[in-house]
Amino acid sequence: MTPLFLSRFFQKKIKPWAFQRNLSRQEQILFIKQLGYLLGANVPLLESISVLISQKGSARMCLFLDRLADAIQQGHSISTSLAHQTHGFPPLVPALIHVGEHSGNLPQSLTFLADELRKRYVLRKKIIGARLYPAVVTSAMLGIVGALTFFIFPKIIPIFTSMHIPLPMSTRIVLQVSTFVHIHWLSLVLVTALLYNIFSLARKKNLHIQL
C-alpha cells in the first residue's frame, strides 16, 4: 500500500525542495490552532487533518500534513509523529501535546500551545525590531561620516594647510581624526566587525537563556 503522503506527493505535484524546508513559525501556530478548534468540535483526528489538507496550503504544509496523517494511520500518536519529523517545531510542542493526549485535554493543550507560540513569535519580532532600528541609525551615521572622511575632508584639508593660519582646536581634532581614519580605515573596519560579532553572540546567548 502506497503511503498517504507519497500518493498526495504525486497528486499535488509537491516540489522536491519542500522535503528540505521546515514550517514557518506562523504555519506552525496556524496548524496547532486550527487542529485544536477541530478537535474541540469533536471532529475525529484523521478527519481534522483531512480538513486541513483540503485547505490547500503551502507545499511544505501539505507534505507535513500528509506525513502526519500517514503516521497516525500507522498507529502513532501526534506527539510521537511530531517528535520523529519535527519540521522546525520546538521541543515544547510534542511535549505539551503528549501531556494533552494522556490527560484527555488535547484540544485545550493545543489552544494553550498556539497562544504560547504566538506570544513567543510576537516577542521575537519586537526584539528583532528593537535591534534593527539602532543598526539602521548607526549605518546611516557611519555612511555620513564615511562620506565626509573619504570625499569631503581630503579636498578641504589642503586648503586649510595652504592658508597657514591657526585653526581652532576642534577643527584640528576633526582633521586629524579624518586623516587617521583615511589611512587606517581597513583596520578600523576589521576591529569594529569583530567587536560587533562578539557583542551579537553574547546577546543571542542571553536571549536564548531568557526564552
Side-chain angles (χ1 to χ4, degrees):
M1 178 178 176
T2 305
L4 179 61
F5 80 86
L6 286 180
S7 64
R8 293 187 181 274
F9 172 79
F10 292 107
Q11 293 172 8
K12 295 188 178 183
K13 298 180 180 180
I14 298 175
K15 302 298 182 181
W17 48 258
F19 285 92
Q20 285 80 37
R21 298 186 65 180
N22 291 330
L23 298 179
S24 67
R25 188 67 76 211
Q26 290 176 302
E27 288 176 323
Q28 295 174 8
I29 296 171
L30 182 63
F31 158 71
I32 294 172
K33 187 175 183 179
Q34 291 180 335
L35 184 61
Y37 284 156
L38 292 171
L39 294 179
N42 296 322
V43 179
L45 179 56
L46 278 174
E47 187 175 342
S48 298
I49 296 177
S50 297
V51 171
L52 297 180
I53 292 175
S54 65
Q55 293 181 356
K56 298 179 181 180
S58 64
R60 58 177 179 254
M61 175 62 80
C62 292
L63 178 62
F64 162 72
L65 292 172
D66 290 338
R67 284 178 165 175
L68 181 62
D70 183 63
I72 292 174
Q73 282 184 334
Q74 295 177 13
H76 299 289
S77 64
I78 301 179
S79 58
T80 303
S81 303
L82 291 179
H84 285 106
Q85 49 142 357
T86 60
H87 278 270
F89 284 98
L92 176 68
V93 172
L96 284 183
I97 291 178
H98 179 75
V99 173
E101 290 171 338
H102 286 267
S103 63
N105 296 317
L106 183 55
Q108 293 85 346
S109 296
L110 291 171
T111 302
F112 170 80
L113 187 56
D115 291 338
E116 185 67 21
L117 291 179
R118 181 187 60 80
K119 292 177 183 178
R120 292 190 176 193
Y121 176 74
V122 172
L123 176 61
R124 181 176 178 83
K125 287 188 65 177
K126 288 182 179 180
I127 293 175
I128 293 175
R131 294 180 60 185
L132 182 61
Y133 178 74
V136 172
V137 174
T138 302
S139 299
M141 293 179 60
L142 290 176
I144 295 173
V145 172
L148 291 174
T149 301
F150 293 101
F151 299 103
I152 305 300
F153 289 154
K155 294 181 180 180
I156 65 175
I157 287 177
I159 297 176
F160 284 121
T161 304
S162 62
M163 294 174 64
H164 300 290
I165 58 176
L167 298 174
M169 177 65 69
S170 59
T171 303
R172 294 202 303 271
I173 292 175
V174 170
L175 294 179
Q176 290 175 0
V177 170
S178 174
T179 302
F180 178 82
V181 172
H182 188 74
I183 296 174
H184 303 285
W185 66 270
L186 182 57
S187 300
L188 293 174
V189 168
L190 293 177
V191 171
T192 303
L194 179 61
L195 294 175
Y196 176 79
N197 288 331
I198 294 174
F199 179 72
S200 299
L201 290 175
R203 291 197 62 180
K204 287 181 180 178
K205 185 176 180 180
N206 292 335
L207 177 61
H208 178 72
I209 293 175
Q210 293 175 3
L211 295 180

